Short mmCIF file of all heavy atoms in Angstrom, two decimals:
data_model
loop_
_atom_site.label_atom_id
_atom_site.label_comp_id
_atom_site.label_asym_id
_atom_site.label_seq_id
_atom_site.Cartn_x
_atom_site.Cartn_y
_atom_site.Cartn_z
N LEU A 1170 -14.66 -6.05 22.74
CA LEU A 1170 -14.76 -4.85 23.57
C LEU A 1170 -13.78 -3.78 23.11
O LEU A 1170 -14.12 -2.59 23.05
CB LEU A 1170 -14.51 -5.22 25.03
CG LEU A 1170 -15.51 -6.21 25.64
CD1 LEU A 1170 -15.08 -6.59 27.06
CD2 LEU A 1170 -16.92 -5.64 25.65
N ASP A 1171 -12.56 -4.20 22.74
CA ASP A 1171 -11.56 -3.25 22.27
C ASP A 1171 -11.98 -2.60 20.96
O ASP A 1171 -11.81 -1.39 20.76
CB ASP A 1171 -10.21 -3.95 22.10
CG ASP A 1171 -9.56 -4.33 23.42
OD1 ASP A 1171 -10.01 -3.83 24.47
OD2 ASP A 1171 -8.62 -5.14 23.41
N ARG A 1172 -12.50 -3.41 20.04
CA ARG A 1172 -12.93 -2.87 18.75
C ARG A 1172 -14.06 -1.86 18.94
O ARG A 1172 -14.05 -0.78 18.32
CB ARG A 1172 -13.39 -4.01 17.84
CG ARG A 1172 -14.18 -3.58 16.60
CD ARG A 1172 -13.33 -2.94 15.53
NE ARG A 1172 -14.14 -2.15 14.60
CZ ARG A 1172 -13.88 -2.02 13.31
NH1 ARG A 1172 -12.85 -2.62 12.76
NH2 ARG A 1172 -14.64 -1.25 12.54
N LEU A 1173 -15.04 -2.20 19.74
CA LEU A 1173 -16.16 -1.29 19.96
C LEU A 1173 -15.69 0.02 20.58
O LEU A 1173 -16.20 1.09 20.23
CB LEU A 1173 -17.22 -1.96 20.83
CG LEU A 1173 -17.97 -3.15 20.21
CD1 LEU A 1173 -18.87 -3.80 21.25
CD2 LEU A 1173 -18.77 -2.71 18.99
N ALA A 1174 -14.72 -0.05 21.47
CA ALA A 1174 -14.22 1.15 22.13
C ALA A 1174 -13.36 2.01 21.20
O ALA A 1174 -13.44 3.24 21.22
CB ALA A 1174 -13.41 0.77 23.37
N ARG A 1175 -12.55 1.37 20.35
CA ARG A 1175 -11.59 2.10 19.51
C ARG A 1175 -12.17 2.57 18.18
O ARG A 1175 -11.89 3.68 17.73
CB ARG A 1175 -10.36 1.23 19.22
CG ARG A 1175 -9.47 0.95 20.40
CD ARG A 1175 -8.35 0.03 20.01
NE ARG A 1175 -7.50 0.62 18.96
CZ ARG A 1175 -6.71 -0.08 18.17
NH1 ARG A 1175 -6.67 -1.40 18.25
NH2 ARG A 1175 -5.95 0.54 17.27
N ARG A 1176 -12.97 1.72 17.55
CA ARG A 1176 -13.42 2.02 16.19
C ARG A 1176 -14.93 1.91 16.01
O ARG A 1176 -15.45 2.25 14.95
CB ARG A 1176 -12.77 1.07 15.18
CG ARG A 1176 -11.25 1.05 15.19
CD ARG A 1176 -10.74 0.12 14.09
NE ARG A 1176 -9.36 -0.27 14.29
CZ ARG A 1176 -8.31 0.40 13.83
NH1 ARG A 1176 -8.49 1.51 13.14
NH2 ARG A 1176 -7.07 -0.02 14.06
N GLY A 1177 -15.64 1.36 16.99
CA GLY A 1177 -17.05 1.07 16.80
C GLY A 1177 -17.23 -0.31 16.19
O GLY A 1177 -16.31 -1.13 16.16
N GLU A 1178 -18.41 -0.60 15.70
CA GLU A 1178 -18.71 -1.92 15.16
C GLU A 1178 -17.84 -2.23 13.94
O GLU A 1178 -17.48 -1.33 13.17
CB GLU A 1178 -20.18 -2.01 14.78
CG GLU A 1178 -21.12 -1.98 15.97
CD GLU A 1178 -22.57 -2.18 15.55
OE1 GLU A 1178 -23.05 -1.38 14.72
OE2 GLU A 1178 -23.20 -3.13 16.04
N GLY A 1179 -17.55 -3.52 13.76
CA GLY A 1179 -16.79 -3.94 12.60
C GLY A 1179 -15.91 -5.14 12.90
O GLY A 1179 -15.89 -5.66 14.02
N ILE A 1180 -15.18 -5.58 11.90
CA ILE A 1180 -14.34 -6.76 12.03
C ILE A 1180 -13.28 -6.55 13.10
O ILE A 1180 -12.66 -5.50 13.19
CB ILE A 1180 -13.69 -7.10 10.67
CG1 ILE A 1180 -12.87 -8.40 10.77
CG2 ILE A 1180 -12.87 -5.94 10.14
CD1 ILE A 1180 -12.37 -8.91 9.42
N CYS A 1181 -13.08 -7.57 13.94
CA CYS A 1181 -12.10 -7.45 15.03
C CYS A 1181 -11.11 -8.59 15.07
O CYS A 1181 -10.10 -8.50 15.78
CB CYS A 1181 -12.79 -7.30 16.38
SG CYS A 1181 -13.71 -8.75 16.94
#
Side-chain angles (χ1 to χ4, degrees):
L1170 299 174
D1171 289 346
R1172 166 74 199 214
L1173 292 174
R1175 291 177 61 200
R1176 304 183 197 271
E1178 292 184 302
I1180 184 172
C1181 67

